[in-house]
Amino acid sequence: MKKATLLPLLITLCSLVLSACTPEGYCNILLFTDNLNRINGNKSLSLSGYTVRDDGYKLIIKNESGEVLLTAEENEKGDLKKIRLTVIKVDEKGNTKPITPAHGEFFRSEAAKAMEAFTFFDNEKCAEAVKKILPMKSEDFSRTGELTMDVEEYHLVYYSNKLCCQFTVTNGFLEETESTRKPESRPLYGETANTVLSEQ
């Protein structure tokens, strides 16, 4: 009798322990910030460092090579649905300034870290995705255009215009992306109706 009640209790306990090791639900700003601090190996970021606007958070990350603007957008439940990193290509006077190799490397590094903190993917997977979508040469940041790719349920976009370059990661479960709205090619009703009638 004791063995019969002990077995279900052990199974329940094991499942609780195993589920405690995996993230539940979606990432929120607190978890995202904790993840970034863990990835950076320090506790330098705090919630008070963010500027809160409407449905998002903004934070300027800087080092000696330049600055990157981090934006995190949440839904009505407080789940982060999108993160974006932006690097500016103009100065205070509106003149174009080139992205230096060091600034470009900083942008790529912060993009990989932010993606890892947001998606819970490992560092290698995020670094590989960033390498595929972001320019690897500093002079290529001056070009304009857009690249997209999907990594599991996350939609990645690199967008560049004359003013800035942006890297965006969107959780496809929380926000519909363009990749899920592809147009379907269907014949017109009249064409299919005529075909069916002519066959009879």
Side-chain angles (χ1 to χ4, degrees):
M1 183 72 175
K2 287 183 181 178
K3 286 183 181 178
T5 55
L6 189 59
L7 186 60
L9 192 64
L10 284 173
I11 292 171
T12 305
L13 183 64
C14 285
S15 65
L16 286 173
V17 169
L18 291 174
S19 64
C21 298
T22 58
E24 295 224 0
Y26 300 106
C27 190
N28 60 28
I29 192 64
L30 181 60
L31 182 56
F32 176 73
T33 305
D34 285 345
N35 285 344
L36 265 184
N37 282 327
R38 176 186 51 78
I39 292 163
N40 285 320
N42 57 46
K43 299 288 182 186
S44 60
L45 297 179
S46 66
L47 292 180
S48 61
Y50 290 98
T51 302
V52 182
R53 291 190 180 166
D54 298 327
D55 60 348
Y57 302 85
K58 296 184 185 298
L59 177 70
I60 294 176
I61 304 170
K62 56 176 89 173
N63 73 358
E64 60 280 352
S65 65
E67 297 180 347
V68 173
L69 174 65
L70 169 66
T71 306
E73 295 179 24
E74 65 182 7
N75 63 14
E76 63 281 352
K77 295 179 181 176
D79 300 318
L80 291 187
K81 59 182 182 178
K82 181 187 298 184
I83 59 162
R84 179 180 295 117
L85 283 92
T86 306
V87 63
I88 303 298
K89 297 196 284 188
V90 293
D91 60 21
E92 296 81 12
K93 296 179 181 178
N95 299 319
T96 303
K97 63 175 183 178
I99 303 295
T100 65
H103 198 181
E105 181 54 39
F106 178 58
F107 181 46
R108 286 188 292 272
S109 172
E110 292 304 313
K113 289 175 186 176
M115 182 178 173
E116 183 182 349
F118 179 52
T119 63
F120 304 104
F121 294 151
D122 62 45
N123 177 265
E124 189 177 325
K125 189 171 189 173
C126 295
E128 187 63 30
V130 165
K131 188 177 179 181
K132 285 180 180 177
I133 199 166
L134 292 186
M136 297 309 290
K137 296 178 182 176
S138 59
E139 58 267 24
D140 290 341
F141 283 107
S142 63
R143 297 180 180 176
T144 60
E146 181 175 306
L147 295 172
T148 65
M149 66 181 282
D150 291 316
V151 180
E152 295 185 24
E153 70 271 20
Y154 293 91
H155 185 64
L156 280 56
V157 177
Y158 169 69
Y159 175 76
S160 177
N161 61 22
K162 292 181 180 180
L163 301 176
C164 68
C165 298
Q166 291 185 332
F167 172 68
T168 306
V169 183
T170 305
N171 185 327
F173 289 137
L174 297 179
E175 181 171 290
E176 188 178 7
T177 58
E178 287 184 16
S179 63
T180 61
R181 283 186 260 153
K182 290 180 181 174
E184 293 181 40
S185 178
R186 295 182 180 175
L188 297 174
Y189 171 76
E191 292 176 11
T192 56
N194 291 338
T195 304
V196 172
L197 290 174
S198 62
E199 288 176 355
Q200 292 179 349

